[in-house]
Each structure stands twice: as structure tokens, then as C-alpha cells.
Short mmCIF file of all heavy atoms in Angstrom, two decimals:
data_model
loop_
_atom_site.label_atom_id
_atom_site.label_comp_id
_atom_site.label_asym_id
_atom_site.label_seq_id
_atom_site.Cartn_x
_atom_site.Cartn_y
_atom_site.Cartn_z
N GLY R 1 11.66 -33.62 -109.68
CA GLY R 1 12.92 -32.95 -109.61
C GLY R 1 13.58 -33.12 -108.29
O GLY R 1 13.05 -33.81 -107.39
N LEU R 2 14.70 -32.44 -108.05
CA LEU R 2 15.36 -32.53 -106.80
C LEU R 2 15.24 -31.18 -106.06
O LEU R 2 15.55 -30.12 -106.60
CB LEU R 2 16.93 -32.67 -107.05
CG LEU R 2 17.89 -32.60 -105.89
CD1 LEU R 2 17.52 -33.61 -104.76
CD2 LEU R 2 19.31 -32.70 -106.30
N VAL R 3 14.69 -31.27 -104.87
CA VAL R 3 14.37 -30.07 -104.05
C VAL R 3 14.73 -30.23 -102.66
O VAL R 3 14.97 -31.41 -102.15
CB VAL R 3 12.90 -29.66 -104.15
CG1 VAL R 3 12.46 -29.31 -105.55
CG2 VAL R 3 12.01 -30.78 -103.49
N GLN R 4 14.86 -29.12 -101.87
CA GLN R 4 15.22 -29.27 -100.46
C GLN R 4 13.89 -29.44 -99.61
O GLN R 4 12.79 -29.06 -100.12
CB GLN R 4 15.86 -27.92 -99.97
CG GLN R 4 17.27 -27.71 -100.58
CD GLN R 4 17.91 -26.49 -99.98
OE1 GLN R 4 18.95 -26.61 -99.32
NE2 GLN R 4 17.27 -25.38 -100.21
N ALA R 5 14.07 -29.92 -98.48
CA ALA R 5 12.89 -30.05 -97.54
C ALA R 5 12.19 -28.73 -97.34
O ALA R 5 12.84 -27.71 -97.14
CB ALA R 5 13.32 -30.61 -96.21
N GLY R 6 10.91 -28.74 -97.41
CA GLY R 6 10.06 -27.54 -97.26
C GLY R 6 9.77 -26.94 -98.53
O GLY R 6 8.83 -26.04 -98.59
N ALA R 7 10.28 -27.37 -99.71
CA ALA R 7 10.00 -26.83 -100.99
C ALA R 7 8.67 -27.43 -101.62
O ALA R 7 8.07 -28.31 -100.99
CB ALA R 7 11.16 -27.04 -101.97
N SER R 8 8.31 -26.92 -102.73
CA SER R 8 7.08 -27.33 -103.37
C SER R 8 7.40 -27.81 -104.83
O SER R 8 8.39 -27.30 -105.42
CB SER R 8 6.01 -26.22 -103.42
OG SER R 8 5.63 -25.85 -102.10
N LEU R 9 6.62 -28.72 -105.32
CA LEU R 9 6.58 -29.09 -106.73
C LEU R 9 5.16 -29.28 -107.17
O LEU R 9 4.25 -29.54 -106.41
CB LEU R 9 7.35 -30.47 -106.89
CG LEU R 9 8.87 -30.46 -106.75
CD1 LEU R 9 9.37 -31.88 -106.71
CD2 LEU R 9 9.48 -29.70 -107.99
N ARG R 10 5.01 -29.23 -108.49
CA ARG R 10 3.66 -29.46 -109.08
C ARG R 10 3.91 -30.57 -110.13
O ARG R 10 4.64 -30.27 -111.16
CB ARG R 10 3.10 -28.22 -109.65
CG ARG R 10 1.70 -28.41 -110.09
CD ARG R 10 1.20 -27.22 -111.06
NE ARG R 10 -0.23 -27.17 -111.19
CZ ARG R 10 -0.83 -26.64 -112.15
NH1 ARG R 10 -0.07 -25.99 -113.14
NH2 ARG R 10 -2.19 -26.52 -112.25
N LEU R 11 3.29 -31.66 -109.96
CA LEU R 11 3.35 -32.74 -110.93
C LEU R 11 2.17 -32.70 -111.89
O LEU R 11 1.05 -32.37 -111.47
CB LEU R 11 3.34 -34.07 -110.26
CG LEU R 11 4.38 -34.30 -109.18
CD1 LEU R 11 4.37 -35.76 -108.67
CD2 LEU R 11 5.84 -33.97 -109.72
N SER R 12 2.37 -32.98 -113.13
CA SER R 12 1.28 -33.01 -114.12
C SER R 12 1.25 -34.35 -114.81
O SER R 12 2.29 -35.08 -115.03
CB SER R 12 1.50 -31.90 -115.14
OG SER R 12 1.54 -30.70 -114.59
N CYS R 13 0.10 -34.78 -115.25
CA CYS R 13 -0.17 -36.04 -115.93
C CYS R 13 -1.11 -35.73 -117.10
O CYS R 13 -2.26 -35.37 -116.78
CB CYS R 13 -0.65 -37.15 -115.06
SG CYS R 13 -1.13 -38.60 -115.85
N VAL R 14 -0.69 -35.95 -118.29
CA VAL R 14 -1.43 -35.66 -119.45
C VAL R 14 -1.90 -36.97 -120.09
O VAL R 14 -1.05 -37.87 -120.30
CB VAL R 14 -0.74 -34.85 -120.54
CG1 VAL R 14 -1.60 -34.65 -121.70
CG2 VAL R 14 -0.30 -33.50 -119.90
N ALA R 15 -3.22 -37.18 -120.30
CA ALA R 15 -3.78 -38.38 -120.84
C ALA R 15 -4.02 -38.19 -122.30
O ALA R 15 -4.44 -37.17 -122.72
CB ALA R 15 -5.07 -38.79 -120.15
N SER R 16 -3.74 -39.22 -123.13
CA SER R 16 -4.00 -39.24 -124.55
C SER R 16 -4.56 -40.56 -124.97
O SER R 16 -4.54 -41.56 -124.23
CB SER R 16 -2.73 -38.89 -125.30
OG SER R 16 -1.74 -39.89 -125.12
N GLY R 17 -5.07 -40.65 -126.18
CA GLY R 17 -5.67 -41.86 -126.68
C GLY R 17 -7.22 -41.84 -126.69
O GLY R 17 -7.80 -42.32 -127.62
N ARG R 18 -7.77 -41.27 -125.64
CA ARG R 18 -9.18 -41.23 -125.42
C ARG R 18 -9.44 -40.23 -124.29
O ARG R 18 -8.55 -40.01 -123.45
CB ARG R 18 -9.87 -42.47 -125.15
CG ARG R 18 -9.46 -43.22 -123.91
CD ARG R 18 -10.11 -44.59 -123.77
NE ARG R 18 -11.56 -44.44 -123.64
CZ ARG R 18 -12.43 -45.55 -123.54
NH1 ARG R 18 -11.91 -46.73 -123.52
NH2 ARG R 18 -13.72 -45.33 -123.40
N THR R 19 -10.60 -39.69 -124.23
CA THR R 19 -10.92 -38.76 -123.19
C THR R 19 -10.83 -39.46 -121.86
O THR R 19 -11.15 -40.57 -121.61
CB THR R 19 -12.32 -38.17 -123.37
OG1 THR R 19 -12.61 -37.25 -122.35
CG2 THR R 19 -13.42 -39.27 -123.36
N MET R 20 -10.33 -38.63 -120.88
CA MET R 20 -10.30 -39.19 -119.47
C MET R 20 -11.47 -38.68 -118.59
O MET R 20 -11.36 -38.89 -117.40
CB MET R 20 -8.91 -38.80 -118.84
CG MET R 20 -8.82 -37.38 -118.40
SD MET R 20 -7.32 -37.07 -117.37
CE MET R 20 -7.87 -35.65 -116.44
N ILE R 21 -12.38 -38.04 -119.19
CA ILE R 21 -13.45 -37.40 -118.37
C ILE R 21 -14.20 -38.41 -117.57
O ILE R 21 -14.74 -38.04 -116.48
CB ILE R 21 -14.38 -36.60 -119.33
CG1 ILE R 21 -15.28 -35.68 -118.47
CG2 ILE R 21 -15.21 -37.54 -120.19
CD1 ILE R 21 -16.06 -34.70 -119.34
N THR R 22 -14.34 -39.73 -117.99
CA THR R 22 -15.09 -40.69 -117.23
C THR R 22 -14.13 -41.51 -116.38
O THR R 22 -14.60 -42.48 -115.75
CB THR R 22 -15.88 -41.56 -118.15
OG1 THR R 22 -14.92 -42.31 -119.09
CG2 THR R 22 -16.89 -40.77 -118.98
N TYR R 23 -12.87 -41.22 -116.26
CA TYR R 23 -11.99 -42.04 -115.55
C TYR R 23 -11.66 -41.43 -114.13
O TYR R 23 -11.64 -40.23 -113.95
CB TYR R 23 -10.59 -42.03 -116.25
CG TYR R 23 -10.57 -43.01 -117.41
CD1 TYR R 23 -11.07 -42.60 -118.58
CD2 TYR R 23 -9.85 -44.22 -117.39
CE1 TYR R 23 -11.08 -43.49 -119.77
CE2 TYR R 23 -9.82 -45.04 -118.49
CZ TYR R 23 -10.46 -44.63 -119.69
OH TYR R 23 -10.36 -45.48 -120.73
N ASN R 24 -11.62 -42.35 -113.15
CA ASN R 24 -11.09 -41.96 -111.87
C ASN R 24 -9.52 -41.85 -112.04
O ASN R 24 -8.95 -42.70 -112.75
CB ASN R 24 -11.37 -43.07 -110.77
CG ASN R 24 -12.81 -43.06 -110.46
OD1 ASN R 24 -13.54 -42.04 -110.60
ND2 ASN R 24 -13.32 -44.29 -110.04
N MET R 25 -8.90 -40.90 -111.42
CA MET R 25 -7.43 -40.65 -111.61
C MET R 25 -6.75 -40.65 -110.23
O MET R 25 -7.39 -40.45 -109.23
CB MET R 25 -7.19 -39.36 -112.37
CG MET R 25 -7.76 -39.22 -113.69
SD MET R 25 -7.12 -40.32 -114.90
CE MET R 25 -5.42 -39.74 -115.01
N GLY R 26 -5.45 -40.92 -110.23
CA GLY R 26 -4.74 -40.94 -108.98
C GLY R 26 -3.28 -40.81 -109.20
O GLY R 26 -2.72 -40.88 -110.28
N TRP R 27 -2.59 -40.65 -108.13
CA TRP R 27 -1.15 -40.66 -107.95
C TRP R 27 -0.68 -41.65 -106.98
O TRP R 27 -1.23 -41.78 -105.84
CB TRP R 27 -0.63 -39.23 -107.55
CG TRP R 27 -0.74 -38.17 -108.61
CD1 TRP R 27 -1.82 -37.29 -108.78
CD2 TRP R 27 0.15 -37.91 -109.72
NE1 TRP R 27 -1.61 -36.55 -109.88
CE2 TRP R 27 -0.39 -36.82 -110.39
CE3 TRP R 27 1.36 -38.46 -110.02
CZ2 TRP R 27 0.24 -36.29 -111.47
CZ3 TRP R 27 2.13 -37.97 -111.17
CH2 TRP R 27 1.48 -36.87 -111.94
N PHE R 28 0.26 -42.46 -107.36
CA PHE R 28 0.94 -43.42 -106.52
C PHE R 28 2.44 -43.05 -106.36
O PHE R 28 2.93 -42.32 -107.15
CB PHE R 28 0.80 -44.84 -106.99
CG PHE R 28 -0.55 -45.47 -106.88
CD1 PHE R 28 -1.62 -44.97 -107.58
CD2 PHE R 28 -0.77 -46.53 -106.00
CE1 PHE R 28 -2.96 -45.52 -107.48
CE2 PHE R 28 -2.07 -47.10 -105.84
CZ PHE R 28 -3.14 -46.57 -106.61
N ARG R 29 3.06 -43.63 -105.40
CA ARG R 29 4.55 -43.45 -105.32
C ARG R 29 5.21 -44.71 -104.85
O ARG R 29 4.63 -45.51 -104.14
CB ARG R 29 4.89 -42.23 -104.41
CG ARG R 29 4.50 -42.47 -102.93
CD ARG R 29 4.79 -41.19 -102.14
NE ARG R 29 4.46 -41.28 -100.75
CZ ARG R 29 4.53 -40.30 -99.88
NH1 ARG R 29 4.85 -39.10 -100.23
NH2 ARG R 29 4.19 -40.53 -98.61
N GLN R 30 6.42 -44.84 -105.19
CA GLN R 30 7.21 -46.03 -104.84
C GLN R 30 8.68 -45.58 -104.53
O GLN R 30 9.37 -45.08 -105.43
CB GLN R 30 7.21 -47.09 -105.90
CG GLN R 30 7.81 -48.41 -105.57
CD GLN R 30 7.47 -49.48 -106.46
OE1 GLN R 30 7.24 -49.27 -107.62
NE2 GLN R 30 7.59 -50.75 -106.00
N ALA R 31 9.02 -45.83 -103.26
CA ALA R 31 10.38 -45.61 -102.85
C ALA R 31 11.18 -46.88 -102.94
O ALA R 31 10.70 -47.89 -102.93
CB ALA R 31 10.46 -45.01 -101.45
N PRO R 32 12.56 -46.71 -103.05
CA PRO R 32 13.41 -47.93 -103.10
C PRO R 32 13.11 -48.91 -101.94
O PRO R 32 13.14 -48.41 -100.76
CB PRO R 32 14.84 -47.33 -103.06
CG PRO R 32 14.67 -45.98 -103.67
CD PRO R 32 13.35 -45.50 -103.18
N GLY R 33 12.94 -50.14 -102.23
CA GLY R 33 12.76 -51.11 -101.18
C GLY R 33 11.36 -51.09 -100.56
O GLY R 33 11.12 -51.90 -99.64
N ARG R 34 10.44 -50.34 -101.10
CA ARG R 34 9.09 -50.32 -100.57
C ARG R 34 8.09 -50.55 -101.71
O ARG R 34 8.38 -50.43 -102.89
CB ARG R 34 8.81 -48.93 -99.98
CG ARG R 34 9.69 -48.63 -98.79
CD ARG R 34 9.22 -47.36 -98.05
NE ARG R 34 7.84 -47.44 -97.61
CZ ARG R 34 7.50 -48.05 -96.46
NH1 ARG R 34 8.36 -48.67 -95.79
NH2 ARG R 34 6.18 -48.16 -96.14
N GLU R 35 6.89 -50.99 -101.33
CA GLU R 35 5.82 -51.25 -102.29
C GLU R 35 5.21 -49.97 -102.75
O GLU R 35 5.30 -48.91 -102.15
CB GLU R 35 4.78 -52.17 -101.70
CG GLU R 35 4.02 -51.56 -100.56
CD GLU R 35 3.06 -52.48 -99.94
OE1 GLU R 35 3.03 -53.73 -100.27
OE2 GLU R 35 2.10 -52.08 -99.10
N ARG R 36 4.61 -50.06 -103.99
CA ARG R 36 3.95 -48.92 -104.53
C ARG R 36 2.68 -48.57 -103.66
O ARG R 36 1.85 -49.55 -103.39
CB ARG R 36 3.48 -49.19 -106.00
CG ARG R 36 3.09 -47.99 -106.70
CD ARG R 36 2.93 -48.28 -108.24
NE ARG R 36 4.20 -48.62 -108.83
CZ ARG R 36 4.34 -48.75 -110.09
NH1 ARG R 36 3.33 -48.60 -111.00
NH2 ARG R 36 5.57 -49.10 -110.59
#
């Protein structure tokens, strides 16, 4: 979402299709003009 500097957010990621219990998980980000 759109927030002001100093605010907080909580992102969620739900996996489906098979259990994720054996998977390593992570978060990446990509800003305009920059690599992921």
C-alpha cells in the first residue's frame, strides 16, 4: 500500500499447490530502474 515515512506494513504470502514446509522462503524487492 501507500504509507508515510515511519509507518508500518505487514506483507503476507500464501502458498498453494503443495506444502511449503520443506521450502526455503524469501522476500525480494525491485524499484524502478533497479535490479531485483
Side-chain angles (χ1 to χ4, degrees):
L2 172 61
V3 299
Q4 295 185 116
S8 297
L9 285 172
R10 189 194 196 204
L11 308 183
S12 299
C13 172
V14 179
S16 62
R18 62 183 297 177
T19 181
M20 76 172 206
I21 193 168
T22 62
Y23 285 76
N24 294 329
M25 303 294 295
W27 290 92
F28 287 69
R29 66 186 180 186
Q30 188 166 23
R34 298 189 58 81
E35 65 183 11
R36 191 171 299 187

